[in-house]
């Protein structure tokens, strides 16, 4: 039969192949497969099981109901009570939130018959205006997501399946046909208020009734949809005024959302106007994806989180410097925003939605003006030489790629940081050329009577000497690598057995940041004492410091301390000081956790998992081998790791005592960081909470190490100690839990 149900001449001959299949199956032994020339295991696993409703997307599509048929059956009435209308509005909002959560339009928003047949809803102004606001809101959100390019298939579905997203108001009502969706909502509000006033006058009383409360509930939903739509429209304006207006609309939407939640009980009951299979014909020839429709309570919680995240996006107007933008995006990503908020953030940062009225670039955009100011270079039209101009262009590409990575979901963010290493490696080549260019050297000399030259101890290896530009690139590359590795803890990708190598490598990267941050500026703080970063060498596990320290890193630290001072503005200095202190705290935390893990493994308290297919060498290559091509920071090899982890002749108690010293030093570093941030007016509430969490972890870990040391003094071993790693306080640094395990009899 064809789709119309008519028999065709070539379809009236059917053969029963059941007996053939049974005969073939009886000849097969367990584990055997039939394979034809053009049909193998891959095609067999990809084949659709005919008749299975979970696999066969074309099953009964010919008999799927059409919107007209459902309307004729009376499933979308227009004569609605206030309670029925509230239930429809709430369900439509829940469907829109479900679409934001990753479902398709055909299986979420447009399962509403009123959305599919907009011409009919003109008889009900409130319902018609609400549907138009949702339709326009979906179109605005879809445009933001498409332009931002930060959402993958698992985040958001942009395919429209030919459904009407554009406004199509009824031409019978001239006021509605000429008005925009949010203007139509205002008109519907006026009609509701007029009807309520007329009802009061007719009744001769102004006392509130249940019908008044229901009208108030409808008004709250209309105003919420209008405020959310206007906020999305203002986010398309790539300028500060647009974000300021968007903030006002978002705040109004938050206020109306509270009213919606308070009046949610009016919409309880059976909901009409929705059918889950109404768009079955529009789905592609693939198994339909499972639809997880949010409940009304889940939808209100989602909208509250969305509005909160969009308010953060509007705070971009206060960003003027690259370090500010970095901290801002770090904070935004930690809040785990949804796909719509992440798309809005990246779209506003990159300016892909629209242009400013004057053709300029807002101050928060990471382009040449911002990066030249951050790199202490002259404006883009006054850069000293083509080499420096090309370097700045490549810097903009690298930082814009980093901004994109910070706006994708956390799992893909880690992958993007790994793939971005090629861009940073290429940027280092441009930085070395820019540092060595005569025009850049002359500009440095005329600007500050200072000319960068390789340190004397690196004269025989000029490729290891870093100028200001190359030092900045190495610092940025080390910071991105740190993000990549530390995100693995948040995503629960590491086993306790791997904590040693991960924290060992992170300690090296923290040391690189601590050295190259002041080396980039070559500054002295106002007190006159130079910034003294800890050396970025490989940490020694023995109690005697420096046993396995890297000569390259030690030399590098001396070069940084001997660099000629250069006066820069205090804005650069305060961020550099904060960056150094933060890296030093990270070093102490990494070294302490690494030494604790090493001591516990030596005592057998951390079980050695059975890895029949992966040796430790293979595991190391899997974690760090993809960065072997990097020039700076220099990649660390497995031989260096084994040399640093060599604990021959070192007692476990010595390692634990060294870890205790690290946690104590971390607490001092946290106090210093908090003090410097307060003096520089950089200590936000969120940063203060993070520092408190780190301090709490350092205190708890120091107590745990003390318990372990006392246990070793009493029993001489730790075999009956059970260790736990708690990442609830901080996503990257765990609190160590110590518990005495029962002794097996």
């Amino acid at each position: 039969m064809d789709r119309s149900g008519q028999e065709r001449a070539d379809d009236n001959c059917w053969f029963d192949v059941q007996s053939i299949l049974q005969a073939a199956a009886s000849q097969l032994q367990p584990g055997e497969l039939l394979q034809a020339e053009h049909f193998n295991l891959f095609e067999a696993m990809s084949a659709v099981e005919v008749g299975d409703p979970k696999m066969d997307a074309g099953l009964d599509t010919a008999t799927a109901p059409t919107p007209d048929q459902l309307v004729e059956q009376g499933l979308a009435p227009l004569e609605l009570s206030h309670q029925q209308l509230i239930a429809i509005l709430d369900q439509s909002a829940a469907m829109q939130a479900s679409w934001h959560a990753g479902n398709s339009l055909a299986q979420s928003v447009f399962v509403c018959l009123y959305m599919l047949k907009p011409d009919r809803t003109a008889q009900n102004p409130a319902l018609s205006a609400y549907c138009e606001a949702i339709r326009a809101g979906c179109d605005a959100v879809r445009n933001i997501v498409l332009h931002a390019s930060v959402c993958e298939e698992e985040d958001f579905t942009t395919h429209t399946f030919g459904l009407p997203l554009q406004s199509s108001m009824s031409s019978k009502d001239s006021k509605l046909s000429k008005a925009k969706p949010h203007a139509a909502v205002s008109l519907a509000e006026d009609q509701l208020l007029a009807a309520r006033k007329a009802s009061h006058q007719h009744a001769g009383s102004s006392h509130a009734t249940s019908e008044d409360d229901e009208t108030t509930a409808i008004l709250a939903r209309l105003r919420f949809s209008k405020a959310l739509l206007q906020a999305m429209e203002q986010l398309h304006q790539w300028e500060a005024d647009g974000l300021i207006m968007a903030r006002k609309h978002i705040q109004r939407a938050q206020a109306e959302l509270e009213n919606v939640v308070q009046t949610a009980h009016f919409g309880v009951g059976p909901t009409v106007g929705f059918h889950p299979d109404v768009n079955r014909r529009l789905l592609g020839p693939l198994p339909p994806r499972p639809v997880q429709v949010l409940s009304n309570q889940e939808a209100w919680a989602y909208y509250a989180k969305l509005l909160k995240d969009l308010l953060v996006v509007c705070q971009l107007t206060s960003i003027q410097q690259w370090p500010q933008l970095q901290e801002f995006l770090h904070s935004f990503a930690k809040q785990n925003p949804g796909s719509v908020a992440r798309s809005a953030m990246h779209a506003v940062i990159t300016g892909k939605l629209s242009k400013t009225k004057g053709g300029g670039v807002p101050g928060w955009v990471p382009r040449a003006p911002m990066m030249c100011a951050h790199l202490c270079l002259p404006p883009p039209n006054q850069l000293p030489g083509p080499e420096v101009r090309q370097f700045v262009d490549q810097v903009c590409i690298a930082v814009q790629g980093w901004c994109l990575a910070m706006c994708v979901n956390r799992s893909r963010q880690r992958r993007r940081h790994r793939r971005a290493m090629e861009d940073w490696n290429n940027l280092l080549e441009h930085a070395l050329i820019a540092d060595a260019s005569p025009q850049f050297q002359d500009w440095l000399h005329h600007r500050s009577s200072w000319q960068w030259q390789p340190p004397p101890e690196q004269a025989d290896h000029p490729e290891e000497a870093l100028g200001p530009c190359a030092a900045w690139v190495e610092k940025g590359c080390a910071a991105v690598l740190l993000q990549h590795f530390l995100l693995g803890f948040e995503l629960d990708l590491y086993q306790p057995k791997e904590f040693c190598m991960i924290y060992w490598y992170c300690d090296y990267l923290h040391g690189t940041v601590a050295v190259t941050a002041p080396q980039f500026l070559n500054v002295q703080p106002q007190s006159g004492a130079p910034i003294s970063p800890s050396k970025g060498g490989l940490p020694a596990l023995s109690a005697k410091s420096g046993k396995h320290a890297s000569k390259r890193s030690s030399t590098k630290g001396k070069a940084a301390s001997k660099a000629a001072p250069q006066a820069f503005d205090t804005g650069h200095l305060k961020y550099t000081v904060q960056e150094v202190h933060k890296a030093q705290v990270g070093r102490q935390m990494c070294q302490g956790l690494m030494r604790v893990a090493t001591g516990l493994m030596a005592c057998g308290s951390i079980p050695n998992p059975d890895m029949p297919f992966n040796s430790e060498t293979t595991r190391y290559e899997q974690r760090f081998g993809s960065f072997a091509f990097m020039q700076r920071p220099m990649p660390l090899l497995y031989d260096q790791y084994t040399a640093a982890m060599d604990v021959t002749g070192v007692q476990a108690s010595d390692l634990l005592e060294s870890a205790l010293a690290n946690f104590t030093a971390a607490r001092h570093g946290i106090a210093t960081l908090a003090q410097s941030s307060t003096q520089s007016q950089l200590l936000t509430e969120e940063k203060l909470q993070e520092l408190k969490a780190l301090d709490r972890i350092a205190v708890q870990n120091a107590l745990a190490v003390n318990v372990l040391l006392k246990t070793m003094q009493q029993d001489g071993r730790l075999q009956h100690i059970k260790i736990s790693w708690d990442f609830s306080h901080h996503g990257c640094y765990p609190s160590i839990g110590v518990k005495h395990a029962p002794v097996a009899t």
Side-chain angles (χ1 to χ4, degrees), residues 16-328:
D16 186 3
V17 297
Q18 188 69 23
S19 59
I20 300 176
L21 295 178
Q22 290 178 350
S26 64
Q27 300 296 322
L28 292 175
Q29 299 297 326
E32 292 183 340
L33 293 173
L34 286 177
Q35 180 176 354
E37 182 179 357
H38 301 292
F39 191 82
N40 52 28
L41 179 60
F42 177 78
E43 281 76 14
M45 297 300 296
S46 304
V48 175
E49 184 176 349
V50 178
D52 186 351
K54 293 184 179 180
M55 293 294 294
D56 190 356
L59 178 64
D60 292 335
T61 54
T63 60
T66 64
D68 293 332
Q69 292 173 346
L70 295 173
V71 170
E72 291 176 359
Q73 296 174 12
L75 297 182
L78 294 176
E79 296 295 332
L80 301 168
S81 65
H82 281 180
Q83 291 186 353
Q84 288 178 317
L85 179 58
I86 293 172
I88 292 173
L89 301 186
D90 288 351
Q91 184 66 17
S92 298
M95 288 296 180
Q96 186 181 22
S98 301
W99 176 54
H100 290 183
N103 294 304
S104 66
L105 277 171
Q107 295 175 294
S108 57
V109 177
F110 283 92
V111 299
C112 178
L113 300 178
Y114 299 107
M115 293 289 296
L116 291 170
K117 306 294 291 184
D119 295 340
R120 296 182 63 252
T121 59
Q123 302 177 25
N124 192 323
L127 178 60
S128 176
Y130 193 83
C131 290
E132 290 300 330
I134 286 187
R135 181 179 288 107
C138 291
D139 188 39
V141 167
R142 181 174 177 270
N143 287 335
I144 291 175
V145 172
L146 287 175
H147 284 88
S149 301
V150 298
C151 292
E152 300 293 339
E153 183 182 1
E154 71 270 16
D155 296 324
F156 198 91
T157 303
T158 58
H159 189 42
T160 62
F161 300 94
L163 295 168
L165 273 184
Q166 302 297 327
S167 177
S168 56
M169 294 180 179
S170 174
S171 59
K172 297 179 181 179
D173 192 330
S174 59
K175 293 183 179 180
L176 285 179
S177 62
K178 295 179 181 179
K180 291 184 178 180
H182 51 79
V185 173
S186 300
L187 183 60
E189 292 178 34
D190 295 339
Q191 292 179 356
L192 284 172
L193 292 173
R196 183 168 64 178
K197 182 178 180 180
S199 176
H200 286 173
Q201 291 176 351
H202 179 73
S205 174
S206 60
H207 293 291
T209 63
S210 60
E211 186 175 354
D212 291 339
D213 294 337
E214 293 169 357
T215 302
T216 302
I218 297 173
L219 288 172
R221 284 150 178 79
L222 290 174
R223 290 165 180 166
F224 169 73
S225 64
K226 181 178 68 174
L228 182 60
L229 172 60
Q230 290 175 324
M232 290 299 176
E233 290 175 345
Q234 290 297 329
L235 287 174
H236 284 68
Q237 305 299 322
W238 195 44
E239 53 189 7
D241 292 342
L243 293 184
I244 293 173
M245 290 301 300
R247 184 188 300 118
K248 294 180 180 179
H249 293 309
I250 292 170
Q251 291 172 344
R252 188 163 62 251
Q254 287 178 322
E256 294 298 337
L257 182 60
E258 293 180 1
N259 297 330
V260 169
V261 174
Q262 292 174 359
T263 58
H265 59 279
F266 289 115
V268 176
T271 306
V272 298
F274 295 85
H275 197 283
D277 293 330
V278 66
N279 298 313
R280 185 72 177 272
R281 297 169 179 267
L282 302 178
L283 299 178
L286 294 173
R289 298 176 63 176
V291 180
Q292 296 180 352
V293 179
L294 301 181
S295 65
N296 289 350
Q297 291 75 16
E298 292 173 337
W300 305 141
Y302 167 79
Y303 284 119
K305 179 70 165 58
L306 172 63
L307 294 174
K308 180 180 178 181
D309 293 337
L310 291 179
L311 274 181
V312 176
V313 176
C314 296
Q315 294 174 6
L316 276 170
T317 54
S318 62
I319 304 299
Q320 297 295 327
Q321 300 181 27
W322 171 241
Q324 288 180 317
L325 184 60
Q326 281 184 299
E327 293 184 4
F328 183 79

Side-chain angles (χ1 to χ4, degrees), residues 483-540:
Q483 285 183 259
H484 169 79
F485 291 127
L486 294 179
L487 268 175
F489 291 104
E490 293 187 26
L491 299 174
D492 196 18
L493 300 181
Y494 306 135
Q495 294 181 345
K497 177 70 175 179
E498 298 178 282
F499 286 179
C500 279
M501 66 174 66
I502 299 297
Y503 283 122
W504 175 79
Y505 212 106
C506 288
D507 170 68
Y508 164 71
L509 295 174
H510 277 302
T512 301
V513 172
V515 169
T516 53
Q519 187 177 2
F520 158 58
L521 291 180
N522 289 322
V523 297
Q524 285 185 337
Q526 296 177 352
S527 62
I531 301 175
S532 57
S534 57
K535 298 177 181 180
L538 309 183

Side-chain angles (χ1 to χ4, degrees), residues 360-371:
V361 178
W364 65 78
V365 178
R367 294 190 180 178
M370 174 187 283
M371 301 315 300

